[in-house]
Amino acid sequence: MMASGKGKPSGKPSLVDADTHVESFRQTRTNRRTELVEDYVELIDDLILDGGEARQVDIVQRLGVAQPTVAKMLKRLVNDGFIQQKRYRGIFLTEAGKALAAKSRERHRIVERFLRAVGVSEEAARIDAEGIEHHVGDETLSVFKAFVERNGRGDNT
Amino acid sequence: MMASGKGKPSGKPSLVDADTHVESFRQTRTNRRTELVEDYVELIDDLILDGGEARQVDIVQRLGVAQPTVAKMLKRLVNDGFIQQKRYRGIFLTEAGKALAAKSRERHRIVERFLRAVGVSEEAARIDAEGIEHHVGDETLSVFKAFVERNGRGDNT
DNA sequence: CCGAAAGCATAGCCATTGCTATGAATTTCC
DNA sequence: GGAAATTCATAGCAATGGCTATGCTTTCGG
Ligand SMILES: [Mn+2]
Ligand SMILES: [Mn+2]
Ligand SMILES: [Mn+2]
Ligand SMILES: [Mn+2]
């Protein structure tokens, strides 16, 4: 059986322990399952803040996907208790939705500003942050935040 | 119609232009479609380097998914021309597979070391890098690389 | 050399995320 | 006030990524 111990310890053990390895992949898969929800509620919140309302059409235009794709996702968000839908009047966030949106937007902001602060261009920071944000854990986020506060941040606030 | 111009310019225009916004989301969706392939070929390459061979069973154990999940994915990788499968003898990378693996591993290493260099713990860096890596574009990667080379890197090499 | 164990393949299921095509409801504007 | 345009809903399809259950092959230990 030999439960513990490496199989073939060669030159440099470039590979970490299997149980440790699997932990990273599991966490990444978990993050992937919540990415879209985070982007939606954050976008809805932004649209409301920016223009007073969030319409399905606006979401469609900003995400760059087809309208039924958004419609289906919104149904899921209603089911999960993040939004309320009033036909032809817009999308509204529930308390849970507002909380998730606030958390997501804050994390997004920090990640993007961190990228700017470390020297990434505005465009690349904007694009990369949209994907990176969902995989930044609490500890990393606080490190990023401290870095941004310590060094100058890219542009605003 | 009014094709150009903001709808309601309120206090701070927290929202970027729609076409600009959609670009980020599109890129993120594109990245998501290649994440798994990158992780697989990188892992296969690591397993071969570490133990001389990459077996389906090893991949199963390291990814933490069920065996048929890996079997299906490997079939896809064969189809896409990244690997070759010899039953009961292991998985082998094609030239395309080796190239993708090398690129992915290098990017992964840089991202993880960058996180360490900026002050993230070993465990958090390991976990977060597994997800972040796939969303780091060329420019951001070179910035990270320069940072690691300038400042001390977390641990090895 | 042969039976058990390990490794792998396959079938069939489900959830998610995207699409097109189409139709219904609501607003808007003349 | 009604026709046209917008907005939204729904049906149906496909690809991806996961699962369990099951059975076939190959390898290995005795
Ligand atoms: Mn975001
Ligand atoms: Mn995002
Ligand atoms: Mn990787
Ligand atoms: Mn990864």
Side-chain angles (χ1 to χ4, degrees):
Chain A
M1 285 302 173
M2 195 144 18
S4 321
K6 304 290 185 84
K8 295 183 180 181
S10 57
K12 22 176 172 177
S14 68
L15 267 184
V16 77
D17 175 69
D19 296 318
T20 307
H21 209 169
V22 84
E23 187 192 4
S24 309
F25 284 123
R26 262 193 231 283
Q27 182 60 56
T28 297
R29 284 196 298 273
T30 297
N31 291 340
R32 284 203 262 256
R33 288 207 330 263
T34 56
E35 280 178 324
L36 257 193
V37 173
E38 290 167 356
D39 280 338
Y40 267 81
V41 298
E42 185 188 345
L43 176 56
I44 290 165
D45 201 24
D46 283 344
L47 286 169
I48 292 173
L49 282 182
D50 189 68
E53 60 176 13
R55 310 290 294 257
Q56 203 180 100
V57 173
D58 303 329
I59 301 174
V60 165
Q61 217 205 333
R62 298 231 156 227
L63 289 182
V65 295
Q67 173 262 322
T69 300
V70 172
K72 198 189 288 185
M73 188 61 188
L74 291 180
K75 210 183 280 181
R76 180 182 155 194
L77 293 181
V78 169
N79 244 86
D80 292 359
F82 290 119
I83 67 170
Q84 234 185 305
Q85 249 186 123
K86 303 192 180 172
R87 252 164 313 199
Y88 299 90
R89 312 230 29 149
I91 314 292
F92 303 90
L93 292 172
T94 63
E95 287 310 310
K98 284 179 192 169
L100 182 58
K103 201 174 157 195
S104 298
R105 164 142 31 72
E106 173 69 358
R107 193 189 51 189
H108 194 144
R109 276 182 17 146
I110 292 174
V111 169
E112 187 163 344
R113 286 179 188 180
F114 171 77
L115 290 178
R116 292 288 291 137
V118 85
V120 176
S121 76
E122 199 176 319
E123 186 183 6
R126 176 175 43 74
I127 293 176
D128 291 4
E130 192 58 75
I132 290 175
E133 54 168 344
H134 311 282
H135 299 275
V136 171
D138 287 344
E139 186 197 318
T140 300
L141 187 64
S142 69
V143 169
F144 283 8
K145 187 178 178 185
F147 188 97
V148 170
E149 281 163 2
R150 184 163 3 103
N151 304 52
R153 54 280 168 283
D155 32 30
N156 45 356
T157 304
Chain B
M1 284 303 173
M2 196 135 30
S4 320
K6 303 290 185 83
K8 295 184 181 183
S10 58
K12 22 176 173 177
S14 68
L15 266 184
V16 78
D17 175 70
D19 296 317
T20 306
H21 209 168
V22 83
E23 188 191 3
S24 309
F25 284 123
R26 263 192 231 281
Q27 183 60 56
T28 298
R29 283 196 299 273
T30 297
N31 290 339
R32 284 204 262 257
R33 288 208 328 266
T34 56
E35 279 177 326
L36 256 192
V37 173
E38 291 167 355
D39 280 339
Y40 267 81
V41 296
E42 186 189 345
L43 176 57
I44 290 166
D45 202 24
D46 282 343
L47 285 169
I48 292 174
L49 283 182
D50 189 69
E53 60 177 12
R55 311 291 294 256
Q56 203 181 101
V57 173
D58 303 329
I59 300 174
V60 165
Q61 217 205 332
R62 298 232 156 226
L63 288 182
V65 295
Q67 174 261 323
T69 299
V70 172
K72 198 191 288 186
M73 188 62 187
L74 290 180
K75 211 183 278 182
R76 181 182 153 194
L77 292 182
V78 169
N79 246 87
D80 293 358
F82 290 119
I83 65 169
Q84 235 184 304
Q85 251 188 121
K86 303 191 180 175
R87 253 164 312 202
Y88 299 90
R89 313 231 29 151
I91 315 291
F92 303 89
L93 292 172
T94 63
E95 286 311 309
K98 284 179 191 169
L100 182 58
K103 201 174 156 192
S104 298
R105 164 144 28 74
E106 173 69 358
R107 194 189 50 190
H108 194 144
R109 276 181 18 146
I110 292 174
V111 170
E112 188 164 344
R113 286 179 189 178
F114 171 77
L115 291 178
R116 293 287 292 136
V118 86
V120 176
S121 75
E122 199 175 320
E123 187 183 6
R126 177 174 43 73
I127 293 175
D128 291 4
E130 191 57 75
I132 289 175
E133 56 167 346
H134 310 283
H135 300 273
V136 170
D138 286 345
E139 187 198 318
T140 300
L141 188 64
S142 69
V143 168
F144 283 9
K145 188 177 177 186
F147 188 97
V148 170
E149 282 163 2
R150 184 163 3 105
N151 305 51
R153 55 279 167 284
D155 32 30
N156 45 353
T157 304

